[in-house]
Amino acid sequence: MAGRLYEPSDLLREGLEGRPLGGLSLKVRDLRRGRTDREAYFNLYLARRDSLSRKPVVQGLFFMGRDEHIRPWMEFRYDPLLSFTEREDIDLEEEGLSGELFRLLGNLIPPGGSLMAIYGAEPHRLARETERGLKRGFPPMATPLGYHLWRAGFRWFKDWYFPEGWLEGAMKLQATRPLNEEVRVRRETEARLLLEKFVDREQRDGVRDPESRRALKRAEEILAELDGARV
């Protein structure tokens, strides 16, 4: 798209429409204005050739920001389970495609902006395991949704487990992209300490169930990533 983009719907189409995901492609649909002209509600479907998924994989609200002081954000509901026919289900999480989708969503969010993934009362195990992990005190980035947010480049987390007012909406995990290199280093140092403490505790107490084992694996992978970045 040539020229400057002025509307959030333009940014959504530019960033997502037609992007490949595995053997599928993204389709932005059902765009409508939010509370202000800087916001847009949208649904994101997947297409296979001329066939559109029966329901959206993402239902979101995108705010494009307002000058340098109010950064862009996106709140979204992610359901990895989709179908094209009544007898065919595709689980993007099981297919290993969730991370790429989060990366594409994250590309719309510049430094200082946030992605907020809804997890409360969601049907897929990705959200349910995230909720249980947060309640058990797992580091946010070691939960399923938090791990995808981390891999998409987001480094500061806030768990909106009890929204402070009616405008905050559903339970969600917020992740913010570092504003600059100094902030990134600080956030990764904080994350390292949190993850090391978690790993030490799990190894000392003994991993008792599959969700703990998966969280421990994610934590160890992030720590290895951080160690590799320091070499």
Side-chain angles (χ1 to χ4, degrees), residues 49-157:
R49 296 183 292 275
D50 295 329
S51 179
L52 205 64
S53 58
R54 292 160 62 91
K55 59 185 178 66
V57 65
V58 169
Q59 297 172 287
L61 173 62
F62 174 60
F63 172 69
M64 66 184 294
R66 189 183 303 277
D67 62 52
E68 63 181 19
H69 302 293
I70 306 178
R71 302 286 173 168
W73 52 260
M74 181 190 297
E75 179 175 339
F76 66 99
R77 172 176 283 107
Y78 173 50
D79 186 357
L81 188 63
L82 57 97
S83 62
F84 292 92
T85 69
E86 291 183 359
R87 296 181 177 85
E88 177 189 30
D89 289 330
I90 299 174
D91 192 319
L92 299 182
E93 180 67 9
E94 292 182 0
E95 296 292 328
L97 296 173
S98 292
E100 175 63 13
L101 179 56
F102 275 60
R103 186 189 68 80
L104 290 169
L105 295 175
N107 285 346
L108 291 166
I109 307 298
S114 298
L115 281 180
M116 293 174 279
I118 293 171
Y119 67 78
E122 294 301 300
H124 195 273
R125 63 172 180 81
L126 186 75
R128 297 199 306 270
E129 186 171 331
T130 296
E131 181 172 0
R132 287 191 295 266
L134 291 170
K135 289 179 177 177
R136 294 175 65 178
F138 294 173
M141 65 287 291
T143 66
L145 284 172
Y147 181 74
H148 290 314
L149 291 165
W150 175 276
R151 296 304 300 271
F154 295 80
R155 293 294 184 265
W156 181 84
F157 292 82

Side-chain angles (χ1 to χ4, degrees), residues 8-9 11-13 15-18 25-33 39-47 52-62 74-79 82 101 105 108 118 122:
S9 56
L11 293 171
L12 287 164
R13 292 192 188 97
L16 299 173
E17 180 68 25
S25 61
L26 302 179
K27 298 295 180 182
V28 181
R29 296 291 185 269
D30 310 320
L31 287 158
R32 59 187 178 88
R33 185 183 185 274
E39 293 181 359
Y41 290 95
F42 70 99
N43 286 329
L44 188 62
Y45 291 81
L46 282 168
L52 205 64
S53 58
R54 292 160 62 91
K55 59 185 178 66
V57 65
V58 169
Q59 297 172 287
L61 173 62
F62 174 60
M74 181 190 297
E75 179 175 339
F76 66 99
R77 172 176 283 107
Y78 173 50
D79 186 357
L82 57 97
L101 179 56
L105 295 175
L108 291 166
I118 293 171
E122 294 301 300

Side-chain angles (χ1 to χ4, degrees), residues 157-201:
F157 292 82
K158 179 175 180 178
D159 178 15
W160 291 87
Y161 63 93
F162 185 74
E164 297 168 358
W166 66 273
L167 286 176
E168 283 79 12
M171 297 164 63
K172 52 188 169 282
L173 183 60
Q174 175 183 348
T176 300
R177 190 180 295 281
L179 185 61
N180 52 46
E181 183 66 11
E182 179 183 353
V183 173
R184 182 190 66 79
V185 171
R186 184 169 72 250
R187 295 305 186 194
E188 290 185 352
T189 299
E190 294 168 352
R192 178 189 297 278
L193 294 174
L194 181 64
L195 290 166
E196 288 176 342
K197 183 178 180 180
F198 171 70
V199 169
D200 289 343
R201 185 187 74 198

